Each structure stands twice: as C-alpha cells, then as structure tokens.
Amino acid sequence: AVRVKFLGRKGLLTQYLRNLGQLSIEEKQLYGKRANEIKDILASSFEEAQGALAALKREDALRREAIDVTLPGRRSGYGRIHPVTQVLEEICAIFSGIGFSIVDGPEIEKDYYNFEALNMPRNHPARDAQDTFYFDQTNLLRTHCSAVQVHSMEAMKPPIRAISTGKVYRRDPFDATHSPMFYQVDVIVVEEGITMGDLKGMLDAFLKRLFGPGTLTRLRPGFFPFVEPGAEVDISCIFCSGRGCAKCKQSGWIEILGAGMVHPKVLRMSNIDDSRYSGFAWGMGIDRVAILKYGVDDIRLFFDNDLRFLRQF
Ligand code: DAH
C-alpha cells in the first residue's frame, strides 16, 4: 500500500511529475532530475524493506516449525499373543516336533466333509448336538475340525499323521462356558497296525506335555459316529491333583477331549483300504484348555478384547 501510494500510476510522484508541465524548461530539467533521483531512492528503499520483511517471516516460520531431534521418541505399546493362540501354537509345536503335517481346512465347509464323510448322514441324530449356520443345502459353518480329517485322508496316502486347528461354529448360547465360535484341534493318524494302545500312549504323552508331568489320563467309553470304539478322555484334575475339589465336582477328573479308532466306514469313504490300514483320531477344544491352564472362569473374556484382561498373558 505504501509503495502504491508513492510510486503507483496514480501515486504522489506521478502527480508531481505531471505538474512539472506547467514549469519553465530549466525548472523542468532541474525538478525532473530531482524527481527521478527520489524515485530511485524510494524504489530501492522499498525493495530493501520488502527483503527485510521476507527474511523476518522466514525466520519466524523456521522458529515455529523447529523440531527438537534430541527429544526421546514416544513408543507405542507392544502387542502380545492372545492366550488362545498361545495354547494353539504350543500344541502345533509339540506335533510338528514329532513329524505331523499341519493341515488347514475351510471354515465355510461342505456338508459332505463336516458330516456325511464322518458317518453322520442327513437325519442322523448326532447332527442335533452340532447344529450350525447353513448357507444352503451344501455349505455350512464347520462345527468341528474333524472335517479336516477327511481332507487329509483325501490328499495324503498312509502313513497319515496330520493335525488341524482353527475356529469352529455351533448354535450355542454365549455364556460363561459356551460360545457360538470357539477353537479346536483335531489329530488323525492312519497307518498299518495302529491300535488303541497307540492312541492311549500318544494322549498320555501329549497331555503330560500340555498340563505337566504329573497328569494322569483316563479313557471312558463315548460315542462319536466317526470312531469305533470311541472314548471320552479325562485328565486328573489340575487344580487338586485328583484329590477332589469344586472345579472337578469332587470327582478328581476333568473331561478334556473326544477320541477313538477311525471308523472303517470313514476310511472307506475316503478311499483308504480298511483291510490294510487302521487309525485313531481325537479332537479337543483349545479355549477350554486355555481356561484350565490360565484359571479363567468365563470363556467370553477371550473375545471381549478388553486390554485389562489380555495384558495379563
Ligand atoms: N469332533 C468332536 C467334537 O467336536 C470331537 C472328536 C471326537 C474328535 C472324537 C475326534 C474324535 O477326532 O475321534 O465334539
């Protein structure tokens, strides 16, 4: 604004020069020369002042944007492994250490793999206990990892030693002991000459690794359509070492998994010669193991994502 006022086209200096017209030639020369000198002085003064202002502005900006590179950084907190994943990884490590293949199966599964090929045809009453979400006649959310046994038997030739872990889904309430989504591990072994003794030996060794060397194992008869004979497997109570307490309802035992000898029909449906091969299988809930190992009293805590809970593991 100041520059326009003095040097602009309608500024004071222009007006002054215009007025020179009324003067004599000598006066014109004298005042004209003087006016041009003033114009130069003003122009260079303005330039100087503008330069000084810009420098001030730059300095100010630098001061405001300054970063103290010597300040210590702010760390974001470390995450940690979820307790259920910790147990899952521990189980996988045990079995990959003794030569098992770790096999993955889909959570959206075919009726055939989840039920049919495991000797649970349509209308079999055992399906009731494992009601699930059906997308259509063929596709459903798998109710157990045993479905992966069928994929393993189709993909591999005996000897088969495979383990699968992951999420399974059921039409269960969401309460302290149930969840419509939970985790399982399922193991299958198919070879020549496999007996119930192999199953018992493996379970005993595995459960001692998982729950401690003092753990005792007990098999009771149990029914699962895909095994014959089938068994419910208990461990000696890890809270009272089998003496009897509230946790084991004074029995000294805690039910931990289902197991059995793979049903010959199940072998045949996956094109395995049941006159030559036999096998065993077992399946276990991983959340339940985490509940026992860490003394958690409500399964929902695993899925609430409350950091106050998760930071304890
Ligand atoms: N799949 C069964 C369940 O979810 C558990 C089970 C029982 C798995 C016996 C097995 C087995 O592999 O042999 O209740």
Side-chain angles (χ1 to χ4, degrees):
V2 173
R3 196 182 52 78
V4 169
K5 183 175 174 191
F6 289 96
L7 293 174
R9 262 189 304 127
K10 294 176 184 164
L12 290 173
L13 200 69
T14 316
Q15 262 171 36
Y16 176 80
L17 287 170
R18 212 174 280 141
N19 292 338
L20 289 183
Q22 295 151 12
L23 302 175
S24 68
I25 299 210
E26 292 80 27
E27 283 173 323
K28 261 186 209 163
Q29 276 179 347
L30 177 63
Y31 292 114
K33 194 170 163 243
R34 193 83 186 102
N36 278 324
E37 279 169 14
I38 291 172
K39 188 180 170 183
D40 286 347
I41 290 168
L42 280 177
S44 64
S45 298
F46 279 128
E47 218 167 279
E48 218 173 275
Q50 257 171 342
L53 274 175
L56 272 177
K57 231 169 137 181
R58 228 176 6 252
E59 252 174 61
D60 191 49
L62 280 174
R63 225 189 338 269
R64 266 185 291 116
E65 291 163 18
I67 296 171
D68 182 352
V69 293
T70 66
L71 273 177
R74 289 189 203 97
R75 264 175 216 283
S76 59
Y78 288 116
R80 51 191 83 205
I81 310 278
H82 192 281
V84 171
T85 309
Q86 285 186 34
V87 174
L88 189 152
E89 286 178 352
E90 186 183 346
I91 293 168
C92 284
I94 292 172
F95 280 94
S96 62
I98 53 172
F100 276 63
S101 306
I102 298 178
V103 182
D104 239 351
E107 288 173 30
I108 297 173
E109 185 54 283
K110 298 251 181 291
D111 185 288
Y112 177 79
Y113 289 92
N114 198 78
F115 291 128
E116 201 80 30
L118 289 170
N119 199 25
M120 273 191 268
R122 266 174 217 283
N123 304 322
H124 193 293
R127 285 193 178 203
D128 279 2
Q130 300 195 8
D131 196 7
T132 183
F133 186 87
Y134 287 81
F135 295 92
D136 50 42
Q137 291 287 310
T138 321
N139 297 288
L140 46 77
L141 288 178
R142 70 176 178 192
T143 61
H144 52 181
C145 281
S146 305
V148 189
Q149 290 180 14
V150 183
H151 290 292
S152 298
M153 286 190 288
E154 284 183 357
M156 301 181 213
K157 284 195 187 342
I160 296 168
R161 292 164 200 162
I163 175 175
S164 190
T165 60
K167 296 185 183 109
V168 300
Y169 303 83
R170 294 194 190 172
R171 193 182 169 283
D172 280 351
F174 198 35
D175 62 27
T177 52
H178 298 86
S179 165
M181 185 281 294
F182 57 102
Y183 287 78
Q184 275 194 343
V185 48
D186 202 283
V187 165
I188 185 167
V189 171
V190 178
E191 263 180 77
E192 276 181 60
I194 291 290
T195 70
M196 197 97 181
D198 298 308
L199 170 63
K200 278 191 78 169
M202 162 174 286
L203 286 175
D204 192 59
F206 167 67
L207 292 167
K208 279 183 162 64
R209 275 281 290 276
L210 197 60
F211 290 106
T215 309
L216 301 179
T217 308
R218 159 178 107 166
L219 272 69
R220 288 176 288 114
F223 174 73
F224 303 96
F226 34 95
V227 285
E228 180 58 34
E232 308 269 4
V233 180
D234 299 336
I235 51 168
S236 50
C237 179
I238 58 168
F239 301 102
C240 64
S241 306
R243 278 186 295 274
C245 68
K247 293 266 192 194
C248 59
K249 300 196 184 90
Q250 309 304 328
S251 73
W253 297 94
I254 292 178
E255 188 181 319
I256 193 74
L257 59 86
M261 301 304 290
V262 181
H263 199 294
K265 247 171 105 177
V266 170
L267 292 174
R268 283 201 294 275
M269 272 189 279
S270 291
N271 288 321
I272 290 175
D273 180 358
D274 69 300
S275 67
R276 181 169 171 200
Y277 297 107
S278 56
F280 67 72
W282 56 265
M284 181 175 77
I286 296 178
D287 319 66
R288 203 167 135 57
V289 174
I291 280 174
L292 291 172
K293 269 178 91 104
Y294 299 122
V296 174
D297 52 19
D298 192 326
I299 192 173
R300 288 170 293 194
L301 289 165
F302 288 138
F303 309 118
D304 280 347
N305 289 336
D306 187 331
L307 288 177
R308 289 170 304 177
F309 173 74
L310 294 172
R311 281 202 185 106
Q312 299 175 71
F313 300 95

